[in-house]
Amino acid sequence: QVQLAESGGGSVQAGGSLKLSCEYYIYANYCMGWFRQVPGKGREGVASIARYGAQLYADSVKGRFTISKDNARYTLSLRMDSLEPEDTGMYYCAAYVCSGSRSPSLRDDDYKYWGRGTQVTVSS
């Protein structure tokens, strides 16, 4: 059974940084990503990493967020710098089975497994 557990959310002022972590209990042949959601809106793909490390970022976070995966520690991370109030939301870790040649994806309907989320609040 696939399990994903996010941590690291919190409240920060604009310009600050946070690092989110997702502990996963799955095999290595998964692509993974981070999504966020605010009330009344759909989930937005933020960053994705394919099996062998290729990454994809939403335009709104390029240059500010960095996704990384440590298979030895079973941890997916999202480093968030220069945070803006618009980054506020519930952040979810997600995964799906993918081949080694699969490119990273920010489409939420590609993902089958989801964590429960961790809240990030950025104040101006």
Side-chain angles (χ1 to χ4, degrees):
Q1 183 177 356
V2 175
Q3 295 183 31
L4 304 169
E6 304 93 338
S7 62
S11 297
V12 64
Q13 289 191 325
S17 297
L18 282 174
K19 184 176 182 179
L20 305 183
S21 295
C22 172
E23 292 186 357
Y24 55 89
Y25 304 93
I26 54 178
Y27 296 110
N29 56 336
Y30 281 76
C31 291
M32 302 190 73
W34 287 97
F35 290 75
R36 65 187 179 194
Q37 189 171 24
V38 297
K41 292 189 176 181
R43 280 186 297 220
E44 174 192 14
V46 173
S48 173
I49 187 165
R51 279 180 61 185
Y52 294 113
Q55 299 169 19
L56 180 65
Y57 296 91
D59 288 343
S60 59
V61 307
K62 278 182 185 175
R64 299 188 299 119
F65 289 13
T66 303
I67 189 171
S68 61
K69 185 159 63 90
D70 185 339
N71 288 329
R73 297 178 183 270
Y74 297 94
T75 301
L76 179 74
S77 298
L78 184 68
R79 172 74 184 187
M80 305 185 294
D81 295 315
S82 303
L83 282 162
E84 303 169 352
E86 292 75 19
D87 295 318
T88 294
M90 184 70 77
Y91 281 70
Y92 297 92
C93 171
Y96 68 101
V97 176
C98 67
S99 66
S101 60
R102 183 72 158 88
S103 298
S105 171
L106 295 179
R107 292 182 45 174
D108 63 351
D109 56 5
D110 282 336
Y111 290 78
K112 182 176 182 180
Y113 304 102
W114 295 83
R116 295 192 173 191
T118 185
Q119 177 69 33
V120 171
T121 303
V122 184
S123 58
S124 57

